[in-house]
Amino acid sequence: MTLLKSSLLGSAAAFAAVGAAHAADLPVKKAVPIEYVRVCTAYGAGFFYIPGTDTCLRISGRARFEGGYQTSYSRQSGTNGGDTSGYQGRMRINLDARTQTAYGTLRAFVRLDAGARTGYSGVGTSGTQQRIGQAFPGIGTDQFGRDQQFVNVDKAFIQFAGLTAGRASSFFDFYAHDFEIAAATLGSDVFSTNLLAYTATIGNGLSATISIEDPVFRRTPIFSPQNVSATLNTGSVQNFGVTTQPTQVFVGYTGGVPTRFSAIDTIERERMPDFVGVARLDQAWGSAQLSAAAHELNVGNISTAATTGTGSIVAPAHTNSVFGWAVQGGLKINTPFIAPGDALYLQGAYGDGAQMYTGYCAYTGCYTQSTTTIQGQKFAQYFSDATVNPYTGQLQTSQSFTVTASYLHYWTPEWRSAFFGSYGEQDFSAAARYQQGQLYGLVSGLAGSNPFGSNAVGTPGTRFFQLSQALRDTYQFVAGGSVIWSPVKDLDIGVEAFYTQIGLKSGRAIDLDKSPTAYSNIAAINAGTFAVATASKDSVSQVRFRVQRDF
């Protein structure tokens, strides 16, 4: 038995030795090294190297909830009005990629914003963003006008050796509602436009920028009394845009008096970019900026359709393009001697044929010739960059200006407040309004009624002309404040309240809330047989609540 056990153990040892010898002859496969993500400290906190490259990447973003309340003054049938509240859930994702090169840092930055919003425009949904294709409406019975999905490629730009190319904030802007929740103050804030810019760093914090920017995001429609608007066909579930905007002009005269009209298509064409120039100073005490912009107004030709009226045809000359312009000055003063983090913004802008550069439409709504944000608003504001002279067919620009102040104060590191206010005006020349009144006299006379609805100016010298809302010079001011609590880093819980007043610089206008049929009774208004309510101003208050987490 002992002999058998010894034989078996010896055989096992022999086999093991032979196996080991064969294994030694086989190639050894090395384990693939693991490449761990490395922290990149060259550009601040949060950056890491993309594995296998020398590019540093930072991923960041935010989640936000907002709720708002704004007074509603009307629940009239047919207005779809009466909402007082609105809600938003929004998200943001940022990607910031940087690589060091022999020419300096090569940077690419991408930001995507998206969200779901409900409620009346100005509290929840945004008519401004819907008009420029960044938001999409729900079309259900209870959803249309108060339900909206929002998606925007907010940023997508490259920076290299002083060059900025892509989708970015306009270089013209300075105070872009930095301290506000609802962004209600007046002032330029085009946070997403397409541009190509070069910035020269002069030294000691001084820089100069020349920027070529997309004009589409700075346009306010040329005034059209007919004002054809985009409509939604809920039967076929399609959005229909505007392909022609007829703006009437005189083309025939009898005894020197206009008796025939046609129309120019005043949809603005995209031809020349906007040209923006900026000088900026950044110091420890704060910043200062001077901005200037040139903005082309370029419309279509006169209609080839049959004219209306009598008299010999004398067509006006082709409508020449004109350049609107704007200038802006801004100042930011850091005030750490009051409290760490405190700062004051002061800004003023003036524009001629360039209303979007002054931001007069910021609260009420942009990219439209007129609109109302207050439900039951007594009269509409008009924002058009220009009118068409019906005698010559040429453009006549409007003027606007805005001034804004905003102060941020830290009560403690966790508690802060913002206090803000702004004032602005928009003016149309008396001659431009008078000419539109003469045009109304001819067109309505031939039609036998008011063909322009609430955009009708009325015949000069009549009571209706004195009370109509179109092309009236208006003012607006906003004042408000907020309280924000940050219990931990990157978490904000805050509430903001503000008051807005919109008014006429002179005279009174028809109160459309109290006299909704006034524009269908022009003859009776002029004859004194239709009692019409009037107003010289309107106002509203709004409250917003926000919870926001940045990461």
Side-chain angles (χ1 to χ4, degrees):
M1 189 68 180
T2 302
L3 178 61
L4 179 59
K5 183 184 292 187
S6 299
S7 299
L8 290 173
L9 290 173
S11 299
F15 279 119
V18 172
H22 283 291
D25 295 334
L26 295 174
V28 177
K29 185 177 181 181
K30 295 182 179 179
V32 177
I34 298 174
E35 184 172 5
Y36 293 97
V37 174
R38 295 179 295 141
V39 174
C40 175
T41 59
Y43 307 108
F47 282 89
F48 62 89
Y49 284 98
I50 299 175
T53 75
D54 58 356
T55 297
C56 297
L57 178 67
R58 184 175 188 268
I59 302 173
S60 61
R62 73 168 45 145
R64 174 191 294 173
F65 166 81
E66 276 189 23
Y69 172 85
Q70 179 170 290
T71 307
S72 175
Y73 299 115
S74 177
R75 295 175 65 92
Q76 287 183 11
S77 174
T79 65
N80 199 22
D83 298 79
T84 58
S85 63
Y87 309 94
Q88 302 184 39
R90 300 178 65 171
M91 59 151 285
R92 168 175 289 178
I93 295 295
N94 303 314
L95 299 176
D96 190 351
R98 306 188 193 188
T99 307
Q100 196 61 34
T101 74
Y103 299 94
T105 301
L106 169 62
R107 184 190 187 199
F109 184 85
V110 176
R111 172 180 292 166
L112 177 67
D113 284 341
R117 304 190 288 206
T118 65
Y120 185 73
S121 180
V123 181
T125 60
S126 169
T128 293
Q129 290 186 311
Q130 190 167 305
R131 283 186 284 272
I132 57 173
Q134 294 178 0
F136 316 96
I139 58 173
T141 298
D142 299 317
Q143 287 72 39
F144 184 68
R146 55 182 57 87
D147 171 37
Q148 191 179 69
Q149 294 294 312
F150 162 60
V151 179
N152 179 35
V153 180
D154 181 71
K155 302 287 185 294
F157 63 81
I158 300 164
Q159 289 181 316
F160 178 67
L163 181 75
T164 301
R167 189 161 175 81
S169 296
S170 172
F171 277 90
F172 184 90
D173 296 350
F174 183 64
Y175 173 67
H177 300 107
D178 292 4
F179 298 158
E180 302 172 44
I181 293 178
T185 56
L186 308 180
S188 178
D189 186 6
V190 176
F191 50 82
S192 299
T193 189
N194 306 313
L195 56 81
L196 177 64
Y198 178 77
T199 300
T201 302
I202 300 169
N204 295 321
L206 183 63
S207 64
T209 300
I210 297 295
S211 182
I212 297 172
E213 301 188 0
D214 195 330
V216 168
F217 299 100
R218 291 288 189 178
R219 284 185 173 152
T220 305
I222 308 301
F223 175 74
S224 168
Q226 196 162 335
N227 192 30
V228 177
S229 300
T231 59
L232 182 73
N233 185 323
T234 57
S236 59
V237 197
Q238 290 181 337
N239 283 300
F240 289 89
V242 179
T243 57
T244 184
Q245 188 64 267
T247 301
Q248 287 73 16
V249 292
F250 300 132
V251 296
Y253 298 83
T254 300
V257 177
T259 54
R260 184 186 294 271
F261 70 90
S262 184
I264 293 171
D265 178 13
T266 51
I267 293 177
E268 295 186 65
R269 273 56 175 178
E270 190 157 6
R271 193 178 68 166
M272 296 294 291
D274 284 9
F275 298 97
V276 174
V278 177
R280 184 181 176 102
L281 179 66
D282 293 291
Q283 299 282 343
W285 56 263
S287 305
Q289 180 171 305
L290 182 63
S291 308
H295 172 72
E296 186 190 36
L297 309 181
N298 177 26
V299 301
N301 294 331
I302 195 166
S303 173
T304 57
T307 60
T308 303
T310 60
S312 57
I313 297 178
V314 183
H318 172 73
T319 305
N320 295 322
S321 298
V322 300
F323 269 92
W325 56 271
V327 292
Q328 177 178 270
L331 185 66
K332 180 185 179 184
I333 303 173
N334 297 324
T335 56
F337 49 87
I338 297 177
D342 279 24
L344 170 68
Y345 270 106
L346 299 171
Q347 177 177 282
Y350 179 87
D352 185 291
Q355 181 274 139
M356 280 289 294
Y357 279 98
T358 65
Y360 183 64
C361 65
Y363 169 75
T364 304
C366 303
Y367 307 109
T368 180
Q369 76 172 24
S370 67
T371 189
T372 59
T373 291
I374 303 172
Q375 291 202 42
Q377 190 164 318
K378 302 179 187 303
F379 52 84
Q381 290 172 280
Y382 281 73
F383 303 110
S384 294
D385 281 337
T387 60
V388 177
N389 185 326
Y391 288 94
T392 65
Q394 301 306 306
L395 296 173
Q396 300 168 304
T397 56
S398 63
Q399 294 75 42
S400 61
F401 79 85
T402 58
V403 291
T404 300
S406 185
Y407 186 77
L408 179 67
H409 174 62
Y410 279 81
W411 305 100
T412 70
E414 293 79 26
W415 289 90
R416 68 186 187 271
S417 292
F419 307 93
F420 49 84
S422 64
Y423 178 84
E425 295 181 0
Q426 176 138 9
D427 297 333
F428 300 91
S429 72
R433 191 167 194 274
Y434 184 84
Q435 292 157 3
Q436 290 298 318
Q438 292 178 308
L439 177 67
Y440 168 83
L442 172 62
V443 178
S444 64
L446 292 173
S449 62
N450 171 19
F452 299 146
S454 61
N455 293 302
V457 173
T459 304
T462 63
R463 176 167 170 75
F464 178 77
F465 180 82
Q466 296 174 339
L467 298 177
S468 60
Q469 65 180 0
L471 301 180
R472 298 291 292 274
D473 297 343
T474 59
Y475 72 84
Q476 180 174 324
F477 75 79
V478 178
S482 64
V483 176
I484 298 175
W485 177 43
S486 300
V488 296
K489 183 181 178 182
D490 297 327
L491 175 64
D492 289 342
I493 302 172
V495 62
E496 176 183 272
F498 63 89
Y499 170 83
T500 301
Q501 185 179 104
I502 299 163
L504 301 176
K505 291 178 63 177
S506 64
R508 300 180 70 82
I510 293 168
D511 184 337
L512 280 172
D513 182 46
K514 295 181 179 178
S515 300
T517 62
Y519 285 83
S520 300
N521 291 276
I522 295 176
I525 291 173
N526 290 332
T529 59
F530 183 90
V532 60
T534 63
S536 62
K537 61 186 178 182
D538 206 350
S539 62
V540 74
S541 297
Q542 184 179 133
V543 178
R544 290 277 184 105
F545 174 74
R546 172 183 289 181
V547 179
Q548 179 172 298
R549 163 72 156 99
D550 291 276
F551 59 89

